[in-house]
Amino acid sequence: MARLNDEVEALLQEYSDLILLTGGDAYRARAYEKAARAVGGYHDDLARLDAKGLLEIPGVGKSTADKITEYLTSGHIGALEQLRAKVPAGVREIMAIPTVGPKKAALIHQQLGITTVAELVEAAESERLNDLHGLGARTAENILHGIEQLRQGGGRTLLNAALELAETLVAELSSVRGCVRCGYAGSLRRMRETIGDIDILAAAEDSTALMTAITELPHTAEVLAHGTTKTSIRTTQGMQVDLRVVPPEDWGAALVYFTGSKAHNIRLRARAVKAGLKLSEYGLFEVESGRKLVSRTEEEVYRALGLPWIPPTLREDRGELDAGAAGELPAVVTERDIRGDLHTHTNLTDGLAPLEEMLAAAAERGYSYYAVTDHAPNLYMQRMTDEKMLAQREQVRQLDGKFGKLHLLHGTELNIDADGGVDWPPEFLAGFDLCVASIHSHFRAGRDEQTRRLVRACENPYVHIIGHPTTRLLGRRSAIDVDLDAVYEACARTGTALEVNASPERLDLGDEQILAARRHGVRFAVSTDAHSTVHLANLRYGIGTAQRGWLTKDEVINAWPLTRLRRFLRGHPDR
């Protein structure tokens, strides 16, 4: 189930967008956008806050607090509904297209009278957008690409939202009388970056109580199908959830089957057939006698097929069965292996929490070390200066050792310019413990240009990590066009790590890119890019992606002891 904070964040962001779309004050819209981010990243649940508590959220003033209170008490925001009424629903859909946003949507609507996505497609293909001031042929191309992105998404849900909902449902169903076991399966258990629907598996001698319970949960908006072995609902968030109930003795075989993937299961069944066996969701059987051999646990099902238990994140038919049979399956990195976060922000730039709050939250997670990496000055809206950064460095040095065993690293997130340069000269960069370098602009540059800028950044001796390397935002912005193999080669040659950004909106690098990069011998950092204390928990999504890329803790630099990490940062990577 989505956090209440996330629901309110989405509403305030929509309000900000609609202010711009209806020609309202840009400063006011920006204020609501900042408030939305602050609410989404706030550590406490809005439901527990009174009016005074709401005003203590950074960026939340009286007007915003009043709107939040209105939503908490009535379930709606009147001012938002008034703006929605002024804008055709189709125009709001246009606004959500990647690369469009409220300003372009307003321009397109006002000057061309376009009110639907279909009309926008026709206008782009017939070059009618080319005559609009501020647009052009490249803009039309980008808009068509953005529409295709949305269509390919097919209403899929980001991993974090699906996982939070699934965990809530599993907890509620686990308390139903007669439920022996309950868990989620499918692509969610495999930690895919987006989820189509949620598969929940339960074990019980009698399914009746469970099948009734899921139809009566407060999250259930519609019952799609109701039976004795399977019930499907649509939740109030619009997701389909399929609940299947099996006898406790068949739990393992059913969990293997319903976790998938389809291709992995086909390989398993082929292996079973070769051994004169039959594998289904009910168990592993001898073909001739029909005798059931195993079905109670996943481990015994895999063992009976001559395999070790395979982590769900690896079950994508990428060679995991052959590796398991040969005893070469990697021990993939886990959240417990991570010793520190190497990409985080504070309210010195665009973070929501002050330095000491971020450090306290990191210490509570049991980290050995923690890097503060606020934005550098070329990201102009963050208003960073040399003086501010040096003052923060002094503060970090003073706080080192004040949070238990947590060792502090002072770093920065540099901006990779169009030519591959970064914000500060070498003499200033030399003062940092760690530098992450990321692309924050010129996303539509050509392939050769993007490749050159990333390779040049890798060759900078003061750049240790390339942050969110492809710059993608899931469902909102596609990856840059770049020769990633050339980047991987540069990283391997220069000892520069690639980030697996754990923000569920990014998960960048993705699993397939990780698999390709590790063939070059690249090292990785699984970091959260946290902008609030709440975001530090996003590490789980980055770890899921890292596992899908077969990463071991030896390949992840922030799973290393501090002494080994410091050698890497000084330019002597352990290989």
Side-chain angles (χ1 to χ4, degrees):
M1 181 179 177
R3 294 171 63 236
L4 176 61
N5 298 46
D6 296 333
E7 291 180 28
V8 175
E9 177 187 14
L11 292 170
L12 293 176
Q13 181 61 58
E14 182 185 0
Y15 188 61
S16 169
D17 291 342
L18 290 177
I19 289 173
L20 291 177
L21 190 60
T22 54
D25 180 65
Y27 177 81
R28 182 164 170 260
R30 175 64 175 163
Y32 277 103
E33 180 183 3
K34 292 176 67 176
R37 292 181 55 251
V39 166
Y42 197 59
H43 64 277
D44 206 352
D45 191 328
L46 291 184
R48 291 199 290 264
L49 302 181
D50 57 15
K52 182 179 178 182
L54 291 174
L55 290 172
E56 291 176 357
I57 301 175
V60 172
K62 186 177 184 306
S63 179
T64 304
D66 289 344
K67 289 177 175 62
I68 295 173
T69 300
E70 181 184 1
Y71 182 70
L72 297 181
T73 56
S74 69
H76 72 276
I77 299 174
L80 173 59
E81 293 182 357
Q82 289 174 14
L83 285 184
R84 284 173 174 167
K86 293 181 180 180
V87 180
V91 177
R92 298 203 297 273
E93 291 178 14
I94 290 170
M95 180 177 66
I97 296 170
T99 76
V100 177
K103 290 183 178 179
K104 285 182 183 174
L107 180 68
I108 291 166
H109 174 56
Q110 291 163 6
Q111 296 198 22
L112 295 180
I114 290 174
T115 59
T116 68
V117 174
E119 290 174 358
L120 179 59
V121 170
E122 189 279 328
E125 292 177 343
S126 63
E127 302 184 356
R128 290 170 58 210
L129 298 183
N130 298 7
D131 298 329
L132 296 183
H133 179 68
L135 302 184
R138 190 63 181 269
T139 301
E141 178 184 329
N142 293 345
I143 287 173
L144 289 173
H145 182 69
I147 293 170
E148 184 59 28
Q149 273 187 273
L150 284 181
R151 288 173 176 168
Q152 289 177 356
R156 294 179 69 84
T157 301
L158 292 183
L159 174 61
N160 63 319
L163 189 53
E164 289 169 7
L165 174 60
E167 288 176 337
T168 298
L169 295 174
V170 166
E172 292 175 332
L173 292 171
S174 295
S175 66
V176 174
R177 186 178 180 85
C179 181
V180 177
R181 302 190 68 169
C182 188
Y184 53 83
S187 60
L188 183 58
R189 189 168 179 236
R190 302 198 312 276
M191 296 292 278
R192 290 276 307 267
E193 60 200 28
T194 61
I195 307 300
D197 51 39
I198 295 174
D199 294 297
I200 293 180
L201 186 67
E205 296 292 352
D206 185 345
S207 66
T208 305
L210 281 163
M211 293 307 187
T212 300
I214 194 170
T215 66
E216 296 175 349
L217 291 177
H219 321 291
T220 300
E222 179 184 5
V223 178
L224 304 176
H226 189 197
T228 57
T229 59
K230 176 183 175 182
T231 292
S232 298
I233 65 165
R234 192 172 308 282
T235 70
T236 52
Q237 289 81 31
M239 288 203 74
Q240 180 171 328
V241 177
D242 297 327
L243 170 66
R244 293 175 174 87
V245 180
V246 299
E249 62 270 19
D250 292 341
W251 170 264
L255 192 57
V256 169
Y257 182 86
F258 290 113
T259 294
S261 66
K262 181 179 179 180
H264 176 85
N265 286 354
I266 288 172
R267 291 277 187 176
L268 280 179
R269 289 199 295 273
R271 188 176 181 88
V273 169
K274 192 173 182 180
L277 304 173
K278 177 184 176 183
L279 178 65
S280 73
E281 63 265 45
Y282 305 108
L284 184 66
F285 300 85
E286 289 182 340
V287 172
E288 288 190 6
S289 67
R291 182 171 67 94
K292 182 188 291 187
L293 301 178
V294 291
S295 63
R296 185 170 292 276
T297 70
E298 283 195 313
E299 287 80 2
E300 67 183 21
V301 170
Y302 279 102
R303 192 183 308 119
L305 290 171
L307 297 167
W309 178 79
I310 297 176
T313 46
L314 300 187
R315 301 181 194 178
E316 296 288 353
D317 189 28
R318 292 169 173 169
E320 66 273 12
L321 267 66
D322 291 340
E328 298 173 354
L329 200 67
V332 288
V333 64
T334 69
E335 197 167 351
R336 291 187 301 275
D337 294 323
I338 298 300
R339 297 170 184 253
D341 204 326
L342 299 182
H343 183 177
T344 69
H345 298 273
T346 75
N347 63 355
L348 183 63
T349 53
D350 61 346
L352 302 173
L355 174 62
E356 293 195 37
E357 285 187 17
M358 296 297 290
L359 299 182
E364 190 174 342
R365 293 182 64 83
Y367 286 152
S368 300
Y369 47 81
Y370 182 83
V372 182
T373 57
D374 274 311
H375 288 288
N378 288 2
L379 198 62
Y380 299 109
M381 70 284 292
Q382 304 306 333
R383 300 181 179 178
M384 178 56 73
T385 64
D386 295 7
E387 293 75 21
K388 285 182 180 180
M389 188 58 83
L390 292 173
Q392 185 189 64
R393 181 175 302 164
E394 179 60 28
Q395 186 184 11
V396 168
R397 301 291 183 247
Q398 291 176 0
L399 290 172
D400 196 16
K402 301 290 179 63
F403 291 86
K405 68 176 184 178
L406 187 67
H407 295 277
L408 306 184
L409 302 172
H410 187 244
T412 185
E413 184 180 13
L414 301 166
N415 304 285
I416 301 175
D417 296 335
D419 63 356
V422 295
D423 307 67
W424 279 299
E427 57 270 20
F428 196 91
L429 295 176
F432 289 104
D433 298 317
L434 174 147
C435 291
V436 179
S438 309
I439 288 177
H440 293 110
S441 62
H442 300 90
F443 302 116
R444 305 302 298 179
R447 183 179 181 85
D448 290 345
E449 183 180 346
Q450 299 286 31
T451 304
R452 280 194 300 270
R453 69 193 293 208
L454 278 172
V455 168
R456 186 182 173 199
C458 292
E459 292 171 343
N460 187 318
Y462 296 101
V463 171
H464 303 102
I465 302 168
I466 301 296
H468 44 77
T470 77
T471 80
R472 72 174 185 179
L473 292 172
L474 292 167
R476 292 166 50 200
R477 184 172 69 215
S478 56
I480 57 173
D481 185 9
V482 60
D483 181 352
L484 284 173
D485 281 324
V487 176
Y488 303 153
E489 290 170 5
C491 285
R493 171 169 48 85
T494 60
T496 307
L498 286 172
E499 181 178 74
V500 180
N501 190 292
S503 167
E505 295 184 342
R506 290 187 183 275
L507 298 180
D508 181 16
L509 289 174
D511 55 357
E512 293 183 359
Q513 288 79 29
I514 294 169
L515 285 163
R518 68 191 297 268
R519 289 194 285 268
H520 291 266
V522 174
R523 298 302 194 195
F524 302 84
V526 183
S527 299
T528 63
D529 195 0
H531 284 65
S532 76
T533 57
V534 172
H535 295 158
L536 294 175
N538 286 342
L539 180 67
R540 67 189 302 196
Y541 310 119
I543 289 295
T545 301
Q547 290 180 351
R548 289 177 59 79
W550 291 44
L551 290 187
T552 67
K553 65 180 181 180
D554 191 58
E555 296 170 289
V556 177
I557 65 172
N558 53 321
W560 296 350
L562 181 59
T563 51
R564 185 181 179 190
L565 175 65
R566 286 194 186 278
R567 286 198 301 271
F568 178 88
L569 297 177
R570 287 196 299 267
H572 302 287
D574 294 5
R575 293 194 182 277

